[in-house]
Amino acid sequence: MLAEITAALGAIKTGSDIAREMAAAHSLDETRGKAPELYGAMAEIQHRLAAMQLAYAALLEERDGLAREVEEIRQARMERERYVLHQLPQGGLVYRFKASRESGAVPHDLCVHCYEGGVKSILQPNGSHLVCPTCKTKLRSKGSAAVASRRGGVCVWTL
Ligand SMILES: [Zn+2]
């Protein structure tokens, strides 16, 4: 964008210099002789301004994309803050949902491996184990782990 602005300012300076020379001309023929140069300078200014407009539109698009990305990251961080690293009595680590009355969510645990990779994968009960439906990690739970959500599922956190 800065290059386009610099080029446009240069084209405007050239056009201004030509117009100044035309104003200082000593005859009508001399003035008319400069007209093609002035038209050329005006065309260059128009070209440079169009390039600036395109560069500006690209910057706006990039800015909007970054704003969306920041919002997604913010949402993902808020979602991640709803979990705390927890050690099961049998030694396995999970990310446990911080249950609150307001959330209304079913208590559940997430797979640590998937969590660190940006994937929210809810551990599912399977006998005396909790199993990750994504990476198939198996943790001994012996019934003392949080009740895993039966709704289960996997969603990507986009991180
Ligand atoms: Zn997993």
Side-chain angles (χ1 to χ4, degrees):
M1 180 76 181
L2 191 59
E4 286 83 2
I5 291 172
T6 302
L9 289 174
I12 291 169
K13 168 95 171 67
T14 300
S16 176
D17 290 347
I18 294 168
R20 189 174 301 111
E21 289 171 19
M22 290 174 79
H26 300 291
S27 69
L28 187 56
D29 286 343
E30 191 179 344
T31 301
R32 285 186 178 146
K34 293 280 184 188
E37 280 184 61
L38 184 60
Y39 292 140
M42 298 299 285
E44 183 67 18
I45 291 168
Q46 190 175 20
H47 170 74
R48 297 298 179 182
L49 290 177
M52 279 179 54
Q53 194 172 25
L54 288 174
Y56 182 67
L59 280 177
L60 288 179
E61 192 172 312
E62 185 179 335
R63 182 206 59 189
D64 291 347
L66 290 172
R68 283 191 298 274
E69 194 173 318
V70 165
E71 179 58 22
E72 288 172 10
I73 290 170
R74 192 180 70 77
Q75 290 292 332
R77 188 175 58 214
M78 283 175 52
E79 176 69 13
R80 283 175 165 253
E81 288 173 355
R82 297 173 69 194
Y83 294 88
V84 62
L85 189 61
H86 176 80
Q87 186 169 29
L88 298 172
Q90 291 75 23
L93 294 175
V94 298
Y95 274 102
R96 178 155 286 176
F97 182 70
K98 293 186 219 169
S100 67
R101 289 183 185 175
E102 303 85 46
S103 73
V106 176
H108 59 278
D109 295 325
L110 300 181
C111 170
V112 171
H113 174 75
C114 291
Y115 180 97
E116 298 301 336
V119 175
K120 180 180 176 181
S121 185
I122 298 172
L123 296 169
Q124 299 296 308
N126 184 354
S128 61
H129 290 81
L130 290 174
V131 179
C132 173
T134 304
C135 71
K136 310 303 179 203
T137 293
K138 213 172 170 184
L139 299 168
R140 282 186 36 215
S141 66
K142 271 280 197 213
S144 56
V147 177
S149 167
R150 298 203 185 281
R151 290 181 294 171
V154 175
C155 75
V156 177
W157 270 334
T158 67
L159 277 179

